[in-house]
Amino acid sequence: MMGLDNHTFNSDFILLGLFSSSQTSLVFFSLIFFIFIMSIIENSLMILLIRRDPRLHTPMYFLLSHLSFMDILHISNIVPKMIADFLSGSKTISFAGCAFQIFLSLTLLGGECFLLAAMSYDRYVAICHPLRYPVLMRENSSGLIAGGSWLMGIFNSIVHTALVLHFPYCHSRAIDHFFCEIPAMLKLSCVDTSHYEQALHVNGIIFLLIPLFMITLSYMQILRTVLQMQSSGTRKKSFSTCSFHMVVVIMYYGPFILTYMRPQSYHTPGQNKFLAIFYTILTPTLNPIIYSFRNKDVLMAAKNMLHSNFMHKT
């Protein structure tokens, strides 16, 4: 067993990746690179606007700034390595590098699950109980929610990273994925991981199903309140906003649940890669658009910042 452990800790892994050397892969690589740049710009701009404009100093936008920061870290944890591997032709990743990818990815995925649930609760209180909003969503409450999301994600990640990397990997070191992710790595282990997989399913209930249930319940209550509004214009706008939010939630939680809560026997490398694209690359790009840039307060803040910069230069 000591020999197995030494082999595990001293060897590099190989990421088979998302791209091959074909012309189609070059187009796909260019698209991923463009999405990465757009995600960094969008989320950075979102954080900047929230910090600069006093009108955005509300609990909702405070939580959004944390969501944007998580999205920047998450996509930066994965895509730059993909880009470097594609350009250099190298596919190796050190044991420490793989451990860091797992730790940061699980921290951000877990934290974002709770943060999205908290944001849906914020919208529920704001729309369904507007008079109680200042009491239920005080400034210190949003800070505690954001801090709690980070801490839950970090604690969960420490446990799973330690457990997964403790398994001996004595067969192939080739991970058929574009980053180090637990389901893909379990396939390489030469010991029985069924008990750990059961624990992973229980963990999925806490981090995935319960937050998703809270989000669904919140938006059902919001829609019920919206349908009772007198103004058809307000109803239409609120329904449109809720619909876009739920699309993003489904795009995030759906693939995440399919990846982490299905038995290993139902996993294929192609499916895992396809599903992971949604919650690691696409949603970090869509979140600022859906949650923020369709909002008139954010658009006004952006307009004011551009006007202020223009006046300063002239």
Side-chain angles (χ1 to χ4, degrees):
M1 187 66 181
M2 183 62 71
L4 292 179
D5 286 344
N6 287 338
H7 184 74
T8 296
F9 285 102
N10 293 332
S11 301
D12 291 344
F13 290 100
I14 298 170
L15 290 173
L16 297 183
L18 203 57
F19 314 112
S20 63
S21 57
S22 66
Q23 193 70 26
T24 306
S25 291
L26 182 60
V27 175
F28 192 37
F29 164 79
S30 301
L31 178 61
I32 294 293
F33 181 75
F34 174 75
I35 291 173
F36 170 68
I37 297 299
M38 286 300 298
S39 179
I40 297 297
I41 292 172
E42 290 170 2
N43 286 291
S44 298
L45 180 59
M46 192 67 245
I47 293 171
L48 180 63
L49 290 174
I50 292 171
R51 286 182 63 86
R52 287 191 55 167
D53 197 304
R55 288 172 300 183
L56 301 183
H57 293 175
T58 64
M60 179 61 180
Y61 290 112
F62 176 78
L63 296 176
L64 271 172
S65 68
H66 279 268
L67 180 67
S68 291
F69 185 55
M70 285 182 176
D71 285 339
I72 290 172
L73 291 179
H74 200 189
I75 199 167
S76 299
N77 181 41
I78 295 168
V79 175
K81 173 63 177 170
M82 293 170 61
I83 294 171
D85 286 353
F86 181 81
L87 295 176
S88 67
S90 171
K91 295 186 176 183
T92 61
I93 183 170
S94 67
F95 181 87
C98 198
F100 183 77
Q101 268 200 343
I102 295 173
F103 170 74
L104 190 56
S105 179
L106 286 180
T107 295
L108 298 169
L109 287 170
E112 193 161 323
C113 284
F114 285 108
L115 197 63
L116 288 172
M119 288 167 59
S120 70
Y121 174 74
D122 176 274
R123 292 298 83 201
Y124 160 72
V125 176
I127 294 172
C128 301
H129 303 284
L131 297 179
R132 298 177 62 190
Y133 185 83
V135 177
L136 294 175
M137 292 300 296
R138 296 187 297 272
E139 186 175 345
N140 62 335
S141 298
S142 54
L144 289 172
I145 289 170
S149 298
W150 280 100
L151 288 174
M152 288 287 286
I154 290 170
F155 176 75
N156 178 65
S157 183
I158 290 172
V159 172
H160 285 284
T161 303
L163 287 172
V164 169
L165 294 178
H166 182 71
F167 291 134
Y169 298 99
C170 51
H171 300 314
S172 170
R173 312 290 294 184
I175 303 171
D176 199 352
H177 211 315
F178 56 86
F179 72 106
C180 293
E181 189 171 37
I182 288 176
M185 293 191 68
L186 291 180
K187 288 182 175 293
L188 305 183
S189 178
C190 50
V191 297
D192 181 21
T193 60
S194 58
H195 291 301
Y196 173 73
E197 289 175 42
Q198 291 174 5
L200 204 60
H201 292 158
V202 174
N203 192 76
I205 294 172
I206 298 169
F207 278 82
L208 292 169
L209 297 187
I210 292 177
L212 181 59
F213 174 76
M214 291 173 61
I215 291 170
T216 305
L217 197 61
S218 294
Y219 278 108
M220 285 176 62
Q221 293 296 323
I222 289 170
L223 286 175
R224 192 177 72 170
T225 302
V226 164
L227 291 174
Q228 294 173 352
M229 293 179 176
Q230 299 297 321
S231 171
S232 60
T234 304
R235 279 202 309 270
K236 186 177 180 181
K237 181 182 176 182
S238 299
F239 185 78
S240 173
T241 300
C242 289
S243 299
F244 277 110
H245 286 191
M246 283 306 298
V247 167
V248 173
V249 165
I250 291 169
M251 282 181 61
Y252 182 77
Y253 281 92
F256 201 2
I257 289 170
L258 288 173
T259 299
Y260 281 87
M261 297 195 70
R262 282 186 306 165
Q264 281 293 311
S265 57
Y266 289 89
H267 286 244
T268 65
Q271 288 176 353
N272 286 349
K273 293 178 188 179
F274 176 74
L275 292 171
I277 287 173
F278 283 92
Y279 54 83
T280 60
I281 297 173
L282 292 182
T283 52
T285 309
L286 291 175
N287 278 340
I289 297 173
I290 300 301
Y291 285 107
S292 306
F293 293 129
R294 297 177 68 254
N295 187 297
K296 64 179 182 180
D297 292 333
V298 174
L299 294 176
M300 184 61 68
K303 183 178 178 181
N304 290 342
M305 187 175 72
L306 290 173
H307 183 263
S308 175
N309 289 340
F310 177 76
M311 292 297 292
H312 181 71
K313 289 179 180 179
T314 56

